Amino acid sequence: MTGNSPALDAALKRFEGLYPEVIELSLGRVLAALEALGRPQDRLPPVIHVAGTNGKGSTCAFMRAMAEEAGLSVHVFTSPHLVRFNERIRLAGKLVDDARLIGWLDRTFGAIGRGQITHFEATTAAAILAFSEVPADLLILEVGLGGRFDATNVIDKPALSVITPVDYDHKAFLGSDLRSIAGEKAGIIKKGRPVLSAIQRKVCDDVITKKAAAEGAPLYRLKTHFVDAMPEGLALIGEHQRSNAALAAMAMQLFGNSTRISQDAIFRGARSATWPARMQRLKPGPVTAIAQGREVWLDGGHNPHAARAIARHLTALGGKTALVTAMLASKDSVGFFMPFRYLKPPVFTLPNAPGHLGAEPIRLADAAHTAGLQAEPCDSLEAAMGAAAASGADRILICGSLYLAGIVLGANDEAPE
């Protein structure tokens, strides 16, 4: 499967155009939809709500694997999807099937009536409806954007709120300084409910601490010794994944009161978690064939914090890496390329996935030049891969956009399952 089925596409398209083009972040619209659906948010399994800038998806993947190793049945909500919309909704361990998903989308569309609502808000309401009607022991709920006004922030009493590392991203919506961004992420903290924070910059930690105190929420912080205690052979690649695994492990201990989920289950989950497009080595397929025998890696990271983690891993690998890159026009492309300036990888830019406001390849190449890199604009993935293969690099890393990652996985016959 390399995309949504026609029936699912039709069910999803009905939510397009129900809100003006300029989005105002608010909870009112999704709360109205959920009210019309009978408040399914009140009938969910225990919820772990996850916000942050980087590592949300990986932390959710580690938590899911650890909980499942402990014998728990787990729902997961993540976004965006890579190849199929179904990837966003995992019900008791399995991606939702088309027939049931279309049914929940139909009911949500009927409940909305003539009301205004964004596509993400409507589909989040449908996901919450689904999670309320299928039994499970745990729901891992990932924030889409920000936290305070994100459509997922409708859970009054989460079992645990988790905040992964906070950094710059989505400045148009969340603000242009870290204090403002951290304030938006900390908006998922609920009165009297425990919150776990990753190792943060001081300004972000200060904001989270103040918010937790104001809500009377017990605050736990990830400690370095917890990171050091993670086992070797983590399932997700990169030194930064040790911190994500440690945050997930601490979350599982807090959720399970340190007894329900054993250390053995936590370690097994750390070694078995899967999360596509995070330093994923691609299998043989139509895309990798263009690389003429070179390794091809894929990472959807798209901001400076993610780029720093990628650059550290490439440094550890050694050799020469070529970057094949597309990005959204709204992203800090110069900031993304700066961490690579000492590695000096050749960069080959291409248009982003259709339907998204991608940076023009020539402007993206200019951003790479500003960061001190050699860059060449290309007009397609095939052209960029061919140029990267001809550069003499030892490996190729496709990076900069989750939307590009989805195109690559679909084209290489590696859709997530």
Side-chain angles (χ1 to χ4, degrees):
M1 176 83 64
T2 56
N4 296 330
S5 68
L8 179 55
D9 261 340
L12 290 166
K13 285 184 182 298
R14 290 177 301 173
F15 297 109
E16 296 177 2
L18 296 182
Y19 193 75
E21 186 175 342
V22 178
I23 295 174
E24 176 190 4
L25 295 179
S26 166
L27 290 178
R29 296 179 296 270
V30 69
L31 284 171
L34 291 169
E35 194 71 33
L37 287 166
R39 297 188 59 85
Q41 71 270 35
D42 296 338
R43 303 187 299 276
L44 296 172
V47 175
I48 296 180
H49 197 192
V50 184
T53 304
N54 286 289
K56 295 194 303 294
S58 296
T59 300
C60 289
F62 278 123
M63 285 194 293
R64 173 196 157 209
M66 292 169 182
E68 289 181 341
E69 287 289 351
L72 302 186
S73 176
V74 185
H75 294 331
V76 187
F77 180 73
T78 56
S79 62
H81 61 277
L82 295 172
V83 181
R84 296 185 296 151
F85 184 89
N86 311 60
E87 298 164 30
R88 299 184 182 215
I89 302 172
R90 189 173 289 273
L91 295 171
K94 296 185 180 298
L95 297 187
V96 64
D97 61 88
D98 280 6
R100 289 195 296 173
L101 177 54
I102 291 169
W104 283 309
L105 291 170
D106 286 347
R107 288 165 61 188
T108 303
F109 186 77
I112 291 168
R114 297 182 179 273
Q116 288 190 338
I117 195 166
T118 69
H119 193 280
F120 182 74
E121 291 165 349
T123 53
T124 299
I128 291 173
L129 178 62
F131 295 135
S132 75
E133 296 184 352
V134 176
D137 300 308
L138 168 65
L139 165 57
I140 298 171
L141 190 65
E142 181 194 15
V143 163
L145 190 155
R148 183 165 61 114
F149 291 124
D150 185 73
T152 63
N153 199 25
V154 295
I155 311 302
D156 292 332
K157 295 181 179 180
L160 178 68
S161 299
V162 177
I163 303 177
T164 69
V166 175
D167 211 301
Y168 294 101
D169 204 8
H170 300 294
K171 292 181 182 180
F173 292 105
L174 305 182
S176 58
D177 65 278
L178 280 177
R179 186 172 296 277
S180 298
I181 296 170
E184 294 298 322
K185 309 292 186 183
I188 69 167
I189 298 174
K190 299 299 192 302
K191 189 174 184 63
R193 308 308 297 172
V195 56
L196 170 63
S197 176
I199 298 170
Q200 306 282 0
R201 300 188 193 197
K202 185 178 186 304
V203 63
C204 300
D205 184 72
D206 288 347
V207 171
I208 293 167
T209 300
K210 184 176 180 179
K211 176 64 174 176
E215 297 294 340
L219 174 61
Y220 301 87
R221 294 180 177 86
L222 178 65
K223 301 298 184 182
T224 304
H225 71 267
F226 227 89
V227 179
D228 294 338
M230 286 298 98
E232 296 303 317
L234 293 181
L236 304 184
I237 294 173
E239 188 61 25
H240 59 290
Q241 294 292 2
R242 296 187 66 80
S243 294
N244 293 332
L247 188 66
M250 193 168 176
M252 287 297 95
Q253 289 198 342
L254 289 169
F255 174 75
N257 257 344
S258 302
T259 56
R260 190 179 183 190
I261 300 175
S262 68
Q263 184 182 76
D264 184 53
I266 286 172
F267 280 14
R268 289 200 310 270
R271 294 189 179 106
S272 65
T274 59
W275 193 234
R278 275 70 176 183
M279 285 312 296
Q280 175 183 358
R281 184 174 175 180
L282 297 182
K283 299 174 182 176
V287 175
T288 55
I290 307 172
Q292 302 173 16
R294 292 168 179 80
E295 295 179 1
V296 180
W297 294 74
L298 179 67
D299 195 287
H302 47 261
N303 56 43
H305 186 278
R308 290 194 292 272
I310 295 168
R312 285 194 296 270
H313 183 63
L314 294 181
T315 300
L317 286 177
K320 180 180 179 182
T321 303
L323 303 185
V324 169
T325 309
M327 298 189 76
L328 294 178
S330 59
K331 298 299 180 182
D332 178 5
S333 52
V334 174
F336 179 84
F337 286 120
M338 285 299 287
F340 299 104
R341 62 192 182 278
Y342 300 115
L343 289 171
K344 299 291 184 184
V347 178
F348 303 91
T349 63
L350 68 148
N352 211 334
H356 303 283
L357 296 176
E360 295 180 9
I362 191 167
R363 292 189 180 277
L364 201 52
D366 287 342
H369 291 150
T370 301
L373 305 178
Q374 294 296 314
E376 175 185 331
C378 302
D379 59 9
S380 67
L381 174 62
E382 292 77 10
M385 287 291 295
S391 71
D394 300 301
R395 72 185 65 85
I396 298 171
L397 172 65
I398 305 170
C399 60
S401 168
L402 284 170
Y403 299 111
L404 172 63
I407 293 293
V408 170
L409 288 173
N412 206 52
D413 299 326
E414 291 193 62
E417 297 179 353

